[in-house]
């Protein structure tokens, strides 16, 4: 059976940001009652957006971490929306946020099964201990990502900082699995 093209979906983009100034989280929690702020339990304030559906942690140092976006673009947009909402509610923010992508997590379906025992012996920088975890852990050097490979042909790719790195990692791994005859496709 001919190989199918892997189906890639980005499930979470994590970005960090800074506005380079101290910020009053108590003031934010008063102006935005829907935020979560329990300084005894965690030093950051959680600012959730419904569109795009993300959560941005804001720390008093002016640093932020945004999670939940489905693309680099939406992650950056989310941080900018949060900053805009803070400014609209008269919280003084001098500079725009400088955002950088830290990690992109994606889920992939290769469309065929993978022989994990054989793959563990064949693929470099791989670890497979089925008694501890059902997937093979493959560390790719270029781009620098970690891919969890499951017998079902499903993958989880993590560590990419650009969406193009996700696609390159998946393509490189898929080609390698094909080349080493580690893929089995249903008839």
């Amino acid at each position: 059976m001919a190989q199918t093209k892997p189906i890639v979906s980005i499930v979470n983009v994590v970005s960090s940001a800074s506005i380079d100034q101290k910020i009053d989280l108590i003031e934010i929690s008063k102006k935005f009652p829907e935020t979560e702020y329990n300084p005894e339990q965690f030093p950051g304030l959680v600012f959730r957006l419904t569109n795009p559906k993300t959560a941005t942690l804001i720390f008093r140092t002016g640093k932020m971490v945004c999670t939940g976006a489905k693309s680099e673009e939406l992650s950056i947009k989310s941080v900018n929306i949060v900053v805009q909402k803070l400014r609209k509610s008269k919280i003084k923010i001098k500079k725009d946020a400088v955002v950088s992508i830290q990690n992109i997590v994606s889920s992939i379906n290769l469309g065929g099964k993978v022989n994990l025992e054989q793959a563990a012996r064949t693929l470099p920088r791989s670890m497979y201990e089925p008694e501890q975890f059902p997937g093979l852990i493959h560390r790719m050097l270029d781009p620098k990502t970690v891919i969890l490979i499951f017998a079902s042909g499903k993958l989880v790719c993590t560590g990419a900082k650009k969406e193009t790195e996700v696609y390159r990692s998946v393509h490189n791994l898929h080609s390698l699995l094909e080349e080493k005859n580690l893929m089995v496709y249903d008839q």
Side-chain angles (χ1 to χ4, degrees):
M1 174 88 187
Q3 77 178 54
T4 55
K5 194 174 179 349
I7 299 163
V8 179
S9 19
I10 291 171
V11 292
N12 186 17
V13 176
V14 179
S15 63
S16 63
S18 178
I19 53 167
D20 200 27
Q21 71 177 62
K22 297 257 184 282
I23 195 160
D24 185 345
L25 299 180
I26 294 165
E27 185 186 0
I28 295 172
S29 68
K30 285 176 184 163
K31 290 186 175 182
F32 296 93
E34 71 281 5
T35 61
E36 294 165 34
Y37 184 50
N38 304 308
E40 322 68 55
Q41 291 170 354
F42 184 71
L45 175 138
V46 182
F47 199 117
R48 294 181 199 284
L49 295 178
T50 48
N51 191 14
K53 192 174 185 327
T54 56
T56 301
L57 298 174
I58 304 173
F59 299 92
R60 61 181 187 76
T61 58
K63 294 204 183 311
M64 300 179 194
V65 175
C66 177
T67 63
K70 303 290 184 223
S71 71
E72 292 174 65
E73 187 186 336
L74 288 175
S75 190
I76 294 164
K77 181 180 178 183
S78 294
V79 171
N80 290 329
I81 289 170
V82 168
V83 169
Q84 194 177 30
K85 285 179 177 274
L86 295 175
R87 283 177 172 153
K88 270 192 179 147
S89 71
K90 305 280 187 270
I91 290 168
K92 288 202 183 341
I93 296 175
K94 299 179 215 68
K95 297 178 180 175
D96 289 340
V98 176
V99 184
S100 67
I101 305 299
Q102 297 302 319
N103 186 16
I104 298 175
V105 180
S106 54
S107 152
I108 299 100
N109 186 343
L110 293 177
K113 303 209 178 323
V114 180
N115 181 334
L116 295 183
E117 292 285 338
Q118 209 180 330
R121 290 190 295 270
T122 313
L123 298 176
R125 297 171 309 284
S126 292
M127 191 172 86
Y128 181 50
E129 293 177 20
E131 341 37 76
Q132 290 179 13
F133 183 71
L136 180 147
I137 302 165
H138 177 67
R139 296 181 188 285
M140 196 168 277
L141 296 177
D142 182 32
K144 195 172 190 297
T145 56
V146 174
I147 301 179
L148 306 178
I149 307 169
F150 298 93
S152 63
K154 300 251 187 342
L155 313 174
V156 173
C157 176
T158 183
K161 294 195 188 284
K162 292 181 164 52
E163 289 172 37
T164 53
E165 292 176 355
V166 172
Y167 292 99
R168 208 156 53 91
S169 289
V170 171
H171 173 75
N172 292 351
L173 179 67
H174 192 228
S175 298
L176 192 58
L177 292 171
E178 283 285 325
E179 186 186 298
K180 307 275 185 194
N181 291 318
L182 298 169
M183 293 289 308
V184 178
Y185 299 98
D186 296 329
Q187 297 306 317

